[in-house]
Structures are given as C-alpha cells and as structure tokens.
Amino acid sequence: MNVPTSLPAAQASRAVLIGASSFQDPDLNDLPAVPRGVIALRELLTGPLWNLPETHCTEVINPQTVKEAGNAIVDAAQAATDTLLVYHAGHGMLNSKGILHLAVSSTSCDTLRVHLDAMPYPECVREPLQKCRARRRIVILDCCYSARAMEAQAADLVGLAGIDGTFILAAAGPMQITVAPRGEEYTAFTGALLGLLREGEENAPEVLDLSTTAWYLRERLVAAGWQPSHCLDEDLVGRLPFVPNASYVPYPDVAVDDLVAALEKSSHDARDVEGICRTVTEAVVTGLGYAYARISLAGHDGQFVTRAAFGDPLPGLAPASETFPGEGESVLTADGRGDGGAQRLDRQLRVPLRHSDGAQVGLLEAHVPSQRAVPGVRRLKDLETYASRAAVTLTHLLLLSEARQALDRSRAEATELRAQLHAEQELREESAGQLRATRDQLARLTTRVQQVERLWNERESELVRRLVDTRRELADRDRELGGLLERFRAASVPARTGHQLSDAEAGTATRVLDAGPGPGPAVRGTQTPPPPRLAPAATTGTATGPAVAGPGRVRRILLGTLAGAVVVGVLVFGFLELPLTLTYRSGDRPIPMTACAPITQGEGDGCQVTGQKWKIAAGRTVRTVFDPAAGRYGWALRGALYLQSTCSATVRWSVTAGNATAAKGTLSRAHPSRDLTEKLRANLASLTVTARRTDSAECAAQFTWDGVYQNS
C-alpha cells in the first residue's frame, strides 16, 4: 500500500456523516446537539480542512432505516481511493453478544430486537471499509460503548476491528456512555473535536496527523472534565497527515546555506568570539524562526559560560541543562511517544556544538515559539547543520583567541624583560660611574695622605733638630751658670772673712748676672725677667761684699727656657695645612657629604668639610654663596669636581672668590672630573659656586665638589 505524505486529496476522498437525533422508541432520548455537530463538521470538510466537493461529503441526519445509512457508507467506500471518513453520532447499543450496533431513528431499546433495526458495526461499517481502496480509512464514533469497535469480545470476533489501514477514534470506552450536556450546542466529544479542527494547536506542527489529533483531543476533554477519548491505529495510519493546523505560523523560508555563508563572512569581519556567538543566536531566531537562542561555551575549568543570547525565552520552561549530550547524540529529540501512542512535544531544543574531530565545544539552546509547531525533521536538520558550521567557526576563533592571548602575554613579558635589561644597564652604568669616582677619590686621598706624611716627616725632622739645638744651648747655659756660681762662691769667701770686693770685681759680677742665660733664640710671646741686682750688704761696722744669686734664680732661668721651647713647637705645627669650614650663606643649598667637626687653627675658626654636592635637572642652574673663614693668611681650593649621570649630561661650572673668578670649566660624560689647586687671596668676603646644565637629556645629574677650602 502506498503511504500518503500529504493531506487528503479532495477529488479522491469521500466522507459520510451520520447523525441520529430523534427516535421512535420513547425509551431512547432525543439528542438535539447531534445534527448541529454533523452540519458543522460538513462545513469544515468542504471548507478549509479538505475542500471536498459537496457531492463527496454525504450528510445523513436521522436515517429511518439501517439500509438508508448502510447504502451511504457502501457508496462512499466504493468511490473513495485516497481517504474515506465515516462519522456517526447518536446512540450506541449492544446486543446479547456485546456487539456494537449504531442506532437509527427506527431503532428499538429491546436488546433482542437491536440486530433487526440498528446498524451492526461489523457488517455495516467494518466490511465496506475492508473492501475500500482508500489508503486512509477513518472511523469517528460519538456514541456509547464506541470503543467496542476496537476490541473482539469473543474468539470468533477476533479481527473485526482490525481493518488494515484503519484509524478508529471513539468517544467512550467499552462500557461507557457518551455525554451530551443540556443546553450545549454540541456533544462533549464532537464539540472538543470541532474546537480542535477550527482553532488548531499552538504546540503542534503545520499538519496534524491522526495520532496528534487524537492526543490533543484527549487533552481537551480531560481539561474540560469529560471522560477521555480512545483511539486505535492500525498499520500506522495515525502517522499520516489528517488536517492542517489552524494555529500554525510558518517558519521563515530561509535557506540554511545562506545562513552558513553569512556566518562565514562574519567570521572574517569579526575577530572576537562574542561577536560570532551573537551572529549565530540572531540567525537562529530571525533566520530559522525560533523564539530564543543562547550559546554557552566551555571554559578552562569545564564550566559553561553564556557567551551570547538573543530573543525572548519562553516562560515556564526550565533552564537548559548546561551539560553536553552524550557521545553520539545529535539534536535533542523534538518528540516522544506517550501513553496510547500519543505524541509528546518539547519546545526546548539543545544542540551540541562539536568540532570536526568530535570534540565538544559548547551548547546551543533554542526555544520553539508558542505559535509555531515543534520543527519537523527538515527544520531540525537545518538547525543541526547550522550549529555544526557555527561550532567549526567558533573553534577556529577560540584557537585564534588563545593564540592572540599567548602572543599578548609574550609581548608583555618581552616588554617587561626589556625594561629590566634597561634598568640593569642604567644600574651598571651608574655603578661604573660611582666606581670611577670612588677610585679617583681614593687616589686623591692616597696622594693627600702621602703629602701629609711627607710634610709631617719634614716638620718632624725640623722639630727634632730644633729641640736638639735647644738642649745643646741649654747645656751650654747650664755649664756657664755653673762656672758663674763657682765664681760667686769664690767671691763670697772674702765677704765671710770680712774682705770686701773691689769696685772692679763688683762690676764684673753685675755684668755677668745682667747678661742672663746667654744669647738664646728669641721666643715670641715670652719675656725673660730681668736679673736681680747685687745689693750692698748692710754694714755692721765693717764693709760687706755684693749679694750672690741663689738656687731660685737658676730655676727661673730653666723654666723660661723650657717655655720658649714649647712655643717653638707650637709654631712649627702652625706650618701644617689644615682645612677650614665654608659656611652656607644663600642660594641653592648643597648636600653636605660628611658632618663637620670643630677645630682651631691660627686666628680662624671653622669645620672640616670633605665635599658638597648638588642635584641638577636638565636646563637648570644652581648657585651657592659661602662665607669663607677670615684672617690674615692666604687660602686655597683643594680637591676635585665630579659629574655623575646616567645620560650624556654636560655641566658648566665656575668658582668666584669675591668678585674675581678663581676657576671654571666644563664637565661631561667624556670628562667627568677636574682637580682644584687654586690659591686665593686673604680676607675674602664670599666664595660662590655656580653650575649650569647645558644639555636637554631627561635624566638627573649630580655635581660634586670633593675637596676643602684651607689655609695656604
């Protein structure tokens, strides 16, 4: 048998609509809603559902005999080649054997007479349909016990309902009665069926097959509080298209190849992953017709992160599980089989994004709009195809992004390494400059120490020589004084014996004593006390000689001589060159290199200064005025000037003593130092140091005077 894949063909299809509403037997209740249901169903079949010609849709209301209704069924069965629909609404009755009979107006309630004036289902319906050439044979029964048409009550009745290629839709179970609510326009079953055919179903596809129609009809009846319907599908006729879905909104007619081409073009324009994710989600919504789309990509920690979303998610749907489908799974199944063969629809689709090698990259979630049916096989295939192309593009961009990030990290590390190397180079240059300056300073200090040692040795020899000469003179004076004492003692003998010195002897003694200790060296700052004069002795009636100097006189002479020697030693040390202080007066204050210690030298007071330093920026000039030590001595500048910098700095300097320039010059990277040996005049009013940066290099420079201002 050829399986139809489209709606029933109007010219090759037939429909027989039988409705029994009034009965001669008073025990059978009239059913006024039945004719209205038959008329409404006829309008749908000849209208938007099948577009049947009027002659192809037979309407039999209140047939008087079984023959009248049976002939209509046989005629339609013989004429139909595509689809045959038999509908009966009225009373259903059972004979003594439990076989279903369909009532007509002349039917009696007597069970023994049912087979005489009611339509036996096996003979009047089953047999004509069995011999019909139509590929779709549909039986809809809105009567009591209608499910009896789908079962065999006895062994000899097996197969009565099992007509090959027949779909039976029954309003009641084998032992149930149907409901015709009072005051309602239609019976409960037919009213629900008409509502489904007129309104369609938002959750259904473009075309409703028989199974889908039966499932939604059952849901409507249960939701309204009525008993559920029943169906029997033989030879999978329920899968065949039955009627168009009135609520269906078609998907956009966009070729998936066009969407893939647009995606590939966007991948060349956009370099970020988020941009491509937005393009994919927008294409799924606007191009493929879904309500909402979201892409989640796996991070390095294995967790999913939403990278882009577009559209409005459907309310009431649980969030998609952000886990990959199992190995080998593709698009999440859009339909499933429920109880009784009914189809269950899911409006939430998930598509795994896989690379060409099967690696899982991410997840694409799509929501089906409420006004559209869940996509069929072709739509799902389009979504899967687009998702696979998007996965390849995203994988490529992710690899590019990771490579770009690695390149950025490498560049940052290289920049940091270059900065470290530059800093190390500057540090090495600065250390080398400091080392050169330290070596130069050490050499100068060594030279100065050698000079001081040589001067000390010279002055020490001079001092020793003078001390030896002084001791020699003291010894000569001592011998001379000893001789003089001996003569005084000799001269005192006549005095004790009453002998008086002559005038010549007294004059000689007086001259010797007046001469003092002899012609020794003159000592500055000391005066030798005058020698005592010889006084005449008191007369005691006899003449006496002159008084003689005693030991006290000799001690005073020795002490005076020693004091003169000490003064000579102090004067000898006065010839040494000792540094004096420079007192800051005004201008740019320098940074002292060492603290000062108070000393005293000659007539000036000051402190020892080992050096001064200034920090000079590019293009700047520093000028410092000092107060030099005053005195009658001459002064000198000693030491050296240095320039320390990390770039090609140049400093022009000058030292002005009073109003005259004492020294000047230029320091640069090629010539970073200059020695100072300039002598200055005495009684200076001021000493001015000026240094000016003549370069424009962006670095700091340090100008140092490593030396002293000292007496010369």
Side-chain angles (χ1 to χ4, degrees):
M1 183 179 66
N2 296 328
V3 178
T5 58
S6 60
L7 290 172
Q11 297 299 327
S13 301
R14 298 291 187 274
V16 179
L17 309 179
I18 303 173
S21 61
S22 60
F23 305 93
Q24 299 175 2
D25 190 336
D27 292 332
L28 292 176
N29 297 327
D30 292 339
L31 302 172
V34 169
R36 293 192 291 269
V38 171
I39 295 172
L41 185 57
R42 175 187 174 86
E43 292 176 353
L44 290 176
L45 294 176
T46 57
L49 294 185
W50 287 2
N51 291 318
L52 290 178
E54 294 289 339
T55 57
H56 290 189
C57 184
T58 303
E59 178 184 300
V60 182
I61 298 178
N62 292 324
Q64 296 300 316
T65 62
V66 173
K67 182 178 180 180
E68 181 182 356
N71 287 335
I73 295 175
V74 172
D75 293 341
Q78 291 176 349
T81 58
D82 182 86
T83 303
L84 173 63
L85 171 64
V86 176
Y87 169 84
H88 177 273
H91 286 297
M93 308 180 71
L94 302 177
N95 65 2
S96 58
K97 295 181 180 182
I99 298 175
L100 176 64
H101 287 66
L102 305 178
V104 297
S105 295
S106 60
T107 299
S108 172
C109 281
D110 189 353
T111 304
L112 298 178
R113 299 177 183 271
V114 167
H115 66 285
L116 299 176
D117 49 18
M119 297 172 55
Y121 179 82
E123 290 80 7
C124 293
V125 181
R126 172 184 170 275
E127 289 185 8
L129 265 65
Q130 190 176 14
K131 296 178 181 181
C132 179
R133 295 174 298 167
R135 293 173 296 177
R136 274 173 291 215
R137 285 159 283 186
I138 306 167
V139 178
I140 301 176
L141 301 177
D142 185 7
C143 63
C144 301
Y145 320 117
S146 53
R148 290 282 181 137
M150 297 182 293
E151 64 180 13
Q153 294 296 324
D156 58 339
L157 295 179
V158 173
L160 285 180
I163 304 172
D164 185 26
T166 302
F167 187 89
I168 301 176
L169 185 59
M175 297 303 296
Q176 292 179 332
I177 61 174
T178 57
V179 179
R182 292 182 180 274
E184 294 293 333
E185 187 175 7
Y186 308 112
T187 63
F189 175 82
T190 299
L193 177 62
L194 292 173
L196 177 60
L197 298 179
R198 289 170 176 169
E199 301 168 3
E201 183 59 45
E202 292 182 350
N203 294 333
E206 180 179 2
V207 176
L208 301 178
D209 57 31
L210 288 167
S211 295
T212 303
T213 303
W215 189 82
Y216 280 115
L217 178 60
R218 180 187 181 94
E219 292 294 315
R220 288 188 174 225
L221 289 170
V222 172
W226 308 120
Q227 61 190 12
S229 58
H230 302 266
C231 65
L232 173 67
D233 182 8
E234 291 293 336
D235 200 18
L236 299 180
V237 177
R239 294 279 187 169
L240 302 180
F242 176 46
V243 292
N245 184 4
S247 294
Y248 176 76
V249 176
Y251 285 89
D253 189 12
V254 177
V256 69
D257 294 338
D258 297 338
L259 297 179
V260 171
L263 175 63
E264 293 178 350
K265 182 179 182 302
S266 299
S267 65
H268 295 293
D269 298 337
R271 292 297 180 182
D272 59 315
V273 177
E274 282 73 13
I276 294 301
C277 289
R278 287 193 297 270
T279 300
V280 172
T281 53
E282 291 176 5
V284 170
V285 174
T286 61
L288 297 179
Y290 291 86
Y292 172 78
R294 181 178 69 168
I295 285 183
S296 301
L297 300 181
H300 295 291
D301 55 356
Q303 299 295 323
F304 281 89
V305 178
T306 299
R307 305 299 287 270
F310 188 76
D312 299 322
L314 296 181
L317 287 181
S321 175
E322 292 196 346
T323 56
F324 285 118
E327 189 67 28
E329 292 185 24
S330 182
V331 180
L332 186 67
T333 303
D335 64 289
R337 309 305 297 176
D339 297 337
Q343 184 183 39
R344 297 185 182 274
L345 302 180
D346 187 3
R347 309 197 64 77
Q348 193 172 16
L349 308 180
R350 291 185 298 123
V351 184
L353 301 178
R354 304 180 189 275
H355 193 252
S356 57
D357 59 358
Q360 298 170 334
V361 179
L363 190 68
L364 171 62
E365 175 189 350
H367 290 185
V368 179
S370 59
Q371 69 273 20
R372 290 195 178 110
V374 173
V377 176
R378 185 179 67 83
R379 292 289 180 182
L380 293 178
K381 187 64 177 178
D382 290 345
L383 181 61
E384 184 180 19
T385 300
Y386 187 71
S388 64
R389 294 299 304 171
V392 174
T393 302
L394 287 173
T395 303
H396 177 68
L397 285 181
L398 287 173
L399 293 176
L400 286 180
S401 177
E402 292 177 357
R404 193 178 297 111
Q405 292 175 2
L407 180 60
D408 292 341
R409 288 194 297 269
S410 299
R411 288 175 176 172
E413 293 174 358
T415 302
E416 183 179 358
L417 182 59
R418 282 195 296 269
Q420 293 177 357
L421 292 176
H422 182 68
E424 292 177 359
Q425 181 66 23
E426 290 183 349
L427 182 60
R428 283 197 296 269
E429 292 178 358
E430 183 178 358
S431 300
Q434 293 177 355
L435 181 59
R436 288 193 299 269
T438 302
R439 287 175 178 174
D440 294 342
Q441 185 177 5
L442 181 60
R444 288 194 304 274
L445 290 177
T446 303
T447 302
R448 290 181 60 189
V449 169
Q450 293 174 354
Q451 293 174 353
V452 171
E453 288 179 351
R454 185 169 58 254
L455 181 62
W456 171 258
N457 292 332
E458 294 175 356
R459 298 301 170 86
E460 184 181 21
S461 300
E462 177 73 15
L463 180 61
V464 170
R465 184 180 59 79
R466 292 190 180 188
L467 289 177
V468 171
D469 293 342
T470 302
R471 279 200 297 271
R472 189 180 296 115
E473 292 177 3
L474 290 176
D476 294 341
R477 293 294 181 89
D478 187 50
R479 286 193 298 272
E480 183 180 355
L481 289 175
L484 184 60
L485 288 175
E486 290 295 333
R487 284 187 291 170
F488 281 155
R489 290 191 189 98
S492 63
V493 173
R496 289 192 299 267
T497 60
H499 175 73
Q500 287 185 342
L501 293 176
S502 64
D503 294 335
E505 291 176 340
T508 300
T510 302
R511 286 194 301 272
V512 172
L513 293 175
D514 289 338
V523 180
R524 182 178 56 169
T526 61
Q527 294 183 358
T528 304
R533 300 294 180 179
L534 294 177
T539 59
T540 58
T542 62
T544 60
V548 181
R553 168 73 171 174
V554 176
R555 283 195 297 270
R556 286 194 297 271
I557 294 173
L558 291 176
L559 290 176
T561 304
L562 290 176
V566 172
V567 172
V568 169
V570 172
L571 291 177
V572 170
F573 279 102
F575 290 99
L576 294 178
E577 296 178 356
L578 296 178
L580 300 176
T581 185
L582 286 176
T583 304
Y584 170 79
R585 177 192 295 176
S586 62
D588 297 288
R589 182 178 293 276
I591 303 172
M593 295 182 64
T594 60
C596 297
I599 63 171
T600 302
Q601 169 60 36
E603 297 178 358
D605 294 332
C607 63
Q608 185 175 358
V609 179
T610 61
Q612 309 283 353
K613 59 183 177 181
W614 295 263
K615 291 186 181 294
I616 311 175
R620 188 172 177 270
T621 300
V622 296
R623 183 174 180 274
T624 305
V625 180
F626 295 97
D627 285 331
R632 57 191 175 93
Y633 302 101
W635 307 101
L637 298 177
R638 296 288 186 264
L641 298 175
Y642 293 96
L643 174 64
Q644 294 176 331
S645 66
T646 58
C647 61
S648 300
T650 303
V651 173
R652 239 172 231 192
W653 62 272
S654 64
V655 179
T656 303
N659 297 325
T661 300
K664 65 180 179 179
T666 301
L667 298 180
S668 64
R669 195 168 188 176
H671 303 284
S673 63
R674 160 75 183 274
D675 292 332
L676 284 179
T677 57
E678 280 72 23
K679 291 186 177 182
L680 307 176
R681 62 183 176 84
N683 297 322
L684 291 178
S686 64
L687 189 68
T688 304
V689 177
T690 304
R692 178 171 61 89
R693 278 280 296 273
T694 60
D695 63 279
S696 59
E698 292 296 332
C699 67
Q702 182 171 291
F703 176 69
T704 305
W705 174 19
D706 183 12
V708 296
Y709 164 74
Q710 60 189 25
N711 67 314
S712 59

